[in-house]
């Protein structure tokens, strides 16, 4: 009996190792550059991550959850605890995709040491593969320090949503020569610092193209260019969960808010008319 238990647990751990080995790695992602587009979507919860896992290379537990899940007006008040809880939920569902968790505002900007503590906490508690930080030039040293300490880091240039209160809203970046060259230079320095990939958000396509061709690491675009090495969308936007939110770079692939509305209206009608629960729904 004991022997059988031991064999079973050995078998279970072998399966676990196999499952772990089936996960997409930084190396797999880097090989896609110039060969295959990288598919990236945000997910914040177990059921959505379970669906996305089959189709995504990278699942991003983005701090956009401040808006999509918590109804905040921006990402600035998102906490590390929120990111950890949603990171855990997503990680329970994912078998294949590479999972990146955002470090939220106020948890990494103070010093490289603060960033490392936050990154290590997120990775230890969720088991995710990498963290993402919004990376102005001042964050290069932090990115380098994280990489030196064996953290997989994704950069984020262009529009950095954690700065919206500072810059006065969600504005396209890199439109003039000076800011375009600053974003390009920052991207190059981030590559040198060792980040494995960079999200480029809301910049002119010409700038995004220049960044993508200048770097050996893959770029993931959102409101950037079709020539980025991959694309990312916030899953709620793709699903059309908020019909009022439709900036140019968003495509609603379905109208889930209408679907939910119609299902809930039908439930309400059925309960009132005593059509639910029906006989087959009762014990
Ligand atoms: O938080 C997020 O969802 C993001 C993506 C928009 C890239 O950072």
């Amino acid at each position: 009996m004991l022997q059988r238990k031991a064999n079973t647990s050995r078998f279970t751990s072998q399966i676990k190792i196999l499952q772990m080995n089936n996960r997409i790695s930084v190396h797999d992602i880097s090989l896609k550059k110039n060969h295959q587009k990288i598919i990236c979507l945000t997910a914040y919860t177990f059921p959505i991550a379970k669906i996305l896992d089959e189709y995504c290379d990278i699942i991003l537990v983005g701090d956009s959850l401040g808006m999509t899940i918590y109804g905040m007006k921006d990402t600035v008040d998102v906490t590390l605890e929120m990111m950890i809880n949603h990171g855990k939920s997503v990680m329970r569902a994912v078998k294949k995709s590479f999972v990146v968790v955002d470090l939220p505002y106020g948890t990494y900007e103070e010093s490289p040491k603060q960033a490392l503590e936050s990154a290590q906490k997120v990775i230890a508690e969720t088991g995710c593969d990498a963290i993402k930080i919004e990376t102005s030039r001042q964050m290069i040293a932090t990115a380098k320090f994280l990489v030196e300490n064996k953290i997989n880091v994704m950069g984020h240039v262009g529009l950095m949503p954690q700065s919206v209160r500072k810059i006065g809203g969600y504005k396209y970046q890199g439109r003039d020569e000076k800011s375009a060259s600053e974003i390009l230079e920052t991207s190059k320095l981030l590559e040198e610092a060792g980040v494995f990939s960079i999200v480029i958000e809301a910049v002119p396509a010409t700038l995004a193209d220049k960044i993508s061709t200048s770097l050996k690491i893959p770029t993931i675009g959102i409101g950037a260019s079709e020539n980025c090495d991959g694309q990312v969308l916030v899953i709620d936007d793709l699903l059309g969960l908020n019909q009022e939110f439709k900036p140019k770079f968003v495509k609603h692939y379905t109208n889930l808010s209408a679907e939910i509305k119609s299902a809930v209206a039908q439930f309400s009608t059925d309960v009132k008319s005593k059509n639910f629960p029906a006989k087959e729904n009762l014990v």
Side-chain angles (χ1 to χ4, degrees):
M1 182 66 173
L2 270 182
Q3 184 59 39
R4 217 173 113 196
K5 253 195 180 158
N7 286 344
T8 312
S9 93
R10 234 189 331 262
F11 180 67
T12 316
S13 23
Q14 275 166 1
I15 294 264
K16 274 196 183 136
I17 289 166
L18 266 179
Q19 280 172 347
M20 278 161 65
N21 290 344
N22 281 339
R23 297 276 304 286
I24 290 173
S25 65
V26 164
H27 183 61
D28 298 327
I29 292 164
S30 70
L31 290 180
K32 285 187 180 260
K33 181 145 183 128
N34 301 324
H35 292 287
Q36 227 178 22
K37 291 289 185 188
I38 297 165
I39 311 302
C40 179
L41 285 169
T42 69
Y44 318 105
T45 58
F46 179 91
I48 296 288
K50 201 164 175 215
I51 298 169
L52 301 195
D53 192 33
E54 186 183 342
Y55 303 98
C56 285
D57 299 302
I58 301 175
I59 290 182
L60 171 65
V61 185
D63 60 354
S64 48
L65 61 74
M67 286 119 101
T68 56
I69 302 281
Y70 291 94
M72 296 169 165
K73 68 176 190 312
D74 55 38
T75 60
V76 178
D77 296 322
V78 172
T79 65
L80 203 61
E81 195 187 0
M82 288 176 188
M83 297 311 299
I84 288 171
N85 285 337
H86 290 276
K88 278 183 188 169
S89 177
V90 165
M91 283 303 291
R92 284 187 200 110
V94 168
K95 294 201 163 56
K96 183 211 91 201
S97 308
F98 185 86
V99 178
V100 180
V101 175
D102 264 338
L103 290 192
Y105 180 73
T107 67
Y108 64 94
E109 305 88 338
E110 206 174 277
S111 66
K113 185 173 167 281
Q114 184 204 27
L116 182 61
E117 279 166 11
S118 299
Q120 284 174 333
K121 188 170 165 64
V122 167
I123 292 169
E125 294 197 25
T126 67
C128 72
D129 303 293
I131 57 91
K132 175 163 80 61
I133 52 176
E134 296 189 2
T135 37
S136 57
R137 196 185 277 250
Q138 293 90 296
M139 283 296 118
I140 307 282
T142 295
K144 188 164 185 282
F145 185 69
L146 290 175
V147 173
E148 284 166 356
N149 282 280
K150 311 237 172 324
I151 307 286
N152 294 323
V153 180
M154 181 180 245
H156 185 149
V157 300
L159 172 62
M160 292 178 279
Q162 292 174 8
S163 307
V164 289
R165 293 189 195 173
K166 236 180 282 162
I167 62 172
Y170 293 90
K171 295 178 181 158
Y172 268 77
Q173 301 294 305
R175 284 192 138 144
D176 59 85
E177 212 172 294
K178 187 165 172 261
S179 83
S181 80
E182 175 63 21
I183 294 170
L184 176 61
E185 197 49 36
T186 301
S187 305
K188 288 179 182 170
L189 291 171
L190 279 171
E191 177 170 70
E192 269 174 45
V195 307
F196 74 93
S197 174
I198 299 180
V199 167
I200 307 175
E201 179 164 358
V203 303
T206 46
L207 172 60
D209 291 351
K210 215 181 249 176
I211 298 171
S212 297
T213 51
S214 306
L215 303 185
K216 290 191 189 70
I217 54 169
T219 57
I220 314 288
I222 174 161
S225 163
E226 76 276 18
N227 298 319
C228 287
D229 302 297
Q231 299 293 327
V232 57
L233 273 183
V234 167
I235 188 64
D236 296 52
D237 296 340
L238 179 153
L239 297 175
L241 265 167
N242 178 2
Q243 288 299 311
E244 284 98 69
F245 185 69
K246 178 87 179 61
K248 211 170 149 200
F249 63 86
V250 161
K251 180 169 174 182
H252 292 161
Y253 281 81
T254 184
N255 186 345
L256 210 54
S257 70
E259 300 261 340
I260 294 172
K261 213 167 152 22
S262 131
V264 172
Q266 189 60 53
F267 170 73
S268 162
T269 307
D270 282 357
V271 171
K272 285 177 192 157
S273 61
K274 293 194 176 176
N275 281 325
F276 182 84
K279 278 212 175 58
E280 65 267 26
N281 306 120
L282 299 173
V283 185

